[in-house]
Amino acid sequence: MARITLDHLAHAYKPDPRTADDYALKEINHVWSQGGAYALLGPSGCGKTTLLNIISGLVRPTRGRVLFDDLDVTDLATESRNIAQVFQFPVVYDTMTVRENLAFPLKNRHVPREKTAQRVEEIARLLDLTRVLGRKASNLTADMKQKISLGRGLVRPDVAAILFDEPLTVIDPHLKWQLRSTLKEIHRALDITMIYVTHDQTEALTFADKVVVMHDGAVVQTGTPDELFERPAHTFVGHFIGSPGMNILPCRIEGATAFIGNEAIPLLRSYRTLSAGEKLELGIRPEFARLQPKGSGLPVHVRRIDDIGRARIARVEMAGRPLAASVPDGISIEGSEAALALDPRHVHIYANGHLVAGEALGGNKA
Ligand code: ADP
Ligand code: MG
């Protein structure tokens, strides 16, 4: 078990990288605490697998170091790193039984037979594989084979970390939910660092205590699910997390007032220090932009209202810009003209995509 440190890590698959675009992974500094349940979340192609493979040793980084506790493992082979990795697609030995497959990582490390048998039974029970333990892996469904792969990843209780690379891709949707909770339970029981790669925010937010969000080869934010929701550090996070995601509206700022078109939006902080030429945007989540009858608030044009079960979401236009808003219970809107109330505590200002802290209105910089 270990704390894993990524120190000025960067990777290019090209031999002679020059510009930032040549890097599949831009510079990353990050510490994964011992015992943490992490999700590495981002769209396809953003560098998740590259990062995971650097941690496990399948890929050697172009620059920087990987440390397990204080030991530099950058040049250590995968076998010497004491890491378990579960891939997107099943890796099982077809000619072996399920029991032999699960026992393999332990047998390889000369764990006593009794202990191995006990551990295999335990993992099989957790993954609901007990009744197929005696069967050859070759005749099983993709679902089952992937569960065996998960089992092989989980069977060693002494690993530094377990890395999961989109492990539920081939799993049937109804089983996904169940396996996700199983993994979470196993994490609680084992106190092992787990890094779970996914492009699916629901998977990330339900599994992880801490989510590391990647975009275009870089980590854009690390935080708890609440932090990512409440205070996205980058417009990408605002947009990618939430359904619908955060509204991101081009704006102009004068002191403590934002303007979207001609609509003035009072802010709780002042932004006098923004420099000219920066792309300024206002971010507000639909949950904090509430639709109300016209008269008070920002005038909007209502395009439609969708009932998504837990809430009603209105698609509106403000100063010609589309945005999503929530419709509070008990509010009914007549016709297509209405108004919006933005909760000022949840209005965020972004410059070139990055959250700007601003200054307290009293003049103190915070
Ligand atoms: P993700 O897992 O988030 O989908 P990857 O880490 O697989 O992303 O890929 C990141 C970038 O690196 C992509 O642009 C991909 O095309 C590129 N890439 C991945 N593997 C290789 C490789 N073996 N050789 C060259 N380019 C690669
Ligand atoms: Mg991948």
Side-chain angles (χ1 to χ4, degrees):
M1 296 184 202
R3 173 185 76 241
I4 300 175
T5 305
L6 310 179
D7 174 30
H8 294 86
L9 199 72
H11 187 68
Y13 286 101
K14 292 185 166 187
D16 187 18
R18 287 164 197 275
T19 66
D21 284 346
D22 291 340
Y23 284 86
L25 213 59
K26 299 181 179 121
E27 189 170 296
I28 290 182
N29 290 291
H30 184 77
V31 177
W32 315 82
S33 312
Q34 148 55 27
Y38 290 95
L40 186 54
L41 173 69
S44 174
C46 73
K48 305 181 297 297
T49 295
T50 302
L51 183 53
L52 220 58
N53 288 345
I54 289 174
I55 295 173
S56 68
L58 293 174
V59 169
R60 192 193 183 291
T62 311
R63 288 196 277 117
R65 301 185 306 159
V66 180
L67 307 172
F68 286 6
D69 289 331
D70 295 322
L71 178 68
D72 185 340
V73 301
T74 318
D75 288 312
L76 280 190
T78 305
E79 304 78 59
S80 320
R81 291 194 187 191
N82 204 21
I83 284 264
Q85 191 166 4
V86 179
F87 300 91
Q88 209 167 355
F89 299 101
V91 180
V92 296
Y93 297 109
D94 272 342
T95 55
M96 294 184 187
T97 62
V98 174
R99 179 179 279 110
E100 287 162 342
N101 265 286
L102 292 178
F104 195 77
L106 298 177
K107 195 173 161 195
N108 241 356
R109 281 164 189 85
H110 310 292
V111 175
R113 191 178 292 185
E114 188 107 320
K115 212 169 167 189
T116 299
Q118 200 181 2
R119 184 73 186 152
V120 165
E121 294 289 335
E122 193 182 335
I123 291 296
R125 200 164 46 242
L126 281 168
L127 291 169
D128 197 19
L129 288 169
T130 307
R131 66 207 154 80
V132 294
L133 274 176
R135 284 183 48 189
K136 283 263 191 298
S138 56
N139 302 321
L140 300 173
T141 60
D143 262 7
M144 281 294 205
K145 286 189 181 179
Q146 186 64 358
K147 285 216 264 179
I148 301 169
S149 296
L150 279 168
R152 285 162 42 113
L154 295 166
V155 78
R156 290 166 55 202
D158 62 334
V159 290
I162 309 179
L163 314 179
F164 301 94
D165 195 350
E166 314 224 21
L168 305 185
T169 306
V170 299
I171 301 282
D172 212 56
H174 77 274
L175 248 183
K176 264 188 195 179
W177 186 85
Q178 188 197 329
L179 275 177
R180 230 160 45 209
S181 348
T182 306
L183 288 179
K184 183 99 198 163
E185 275 165 40
I186 293 174
H187 176 262
R188 282 201 198 99
L190 290 187
D191 187 38
I192 292 180
T193 310
M194 294 191 181
I195 306 177
Y196 185 105
V197 164
T198 177
H199 63 270
D200 177 349
Q201 57 163 316
T202 312
E203 271 186 26
L205 301 178
T206 48
F207 173 76
D209 304 326
K210 273 259 169 81
V211 182
V212 178
V213 185
M214 283 184 73
H215 171 51
D216 206 9
V219 171
V220 285
Q221 187 169 7
T222 300
T224 63
D226 280 349
E227 285 163 354
L228 299 179
F229 183 81
E230 295 276 332
R231 208 174 148 74
H234 193 278
T235 48
F236 175 79
V237 178
H239 176 77
F240 193 67
I241 289 174
S243 51
M246 185 182 236
N247 299 295
I248 312 281
L249 303 157
C251 71
R252 186 162 61 77
I253 308 246
E254 284 174 23
T257 309
F259 292 88
I260 294 173
N262 291 324
E263 301 301 338
I265 296 156
L267 305 171
L268 292 185
R269 298 175 79 78
S270 141
Y271 296 83
R272 286 171 293 128
T273 51
L274 292 171
S275 45
E278 287 184 302
K279 183 177 77 170
L280 298 182
E281 289 163 305
L282 179 150
I284 177 90
R285 290 202 176 273
E287 289 81 352
F288 307 117
R290 298 193 179 86
L291 199 66
Q292 55 191 37
K294 66 178 176 188
S296 60
L298 303 157
V300 294
H301 183 77
V302 181
R303 295 229 162 266
R304 59 167 213 274
I305 293 178
D306 297 326
D307 197 327
I308 59 167
R310 62 191 159 78
R312 284 184 297 161
I313 298 291
R315 302 290 174 169
V316 306
E317 252 175 41
M318 178 169 68
R321 299 275 172 189
L323 72 148
S326 51
V327 187
D329 287 344
I331 293 284
S332 63
I333 302 295
E334 307 281 328
S336 59
E337 301 312 313
L340 268 193
L342 308 186
D343 182 340
R345 288 166 305 169
H346 293 279
V347 172
H348 299 298
I349 300 299
Y350 296 90
N352 297 333
H354 295 276
L355 183 68
V356 189
E359 299 119 49
L361 284 182
N364 299 328
K365 206 160 181 175

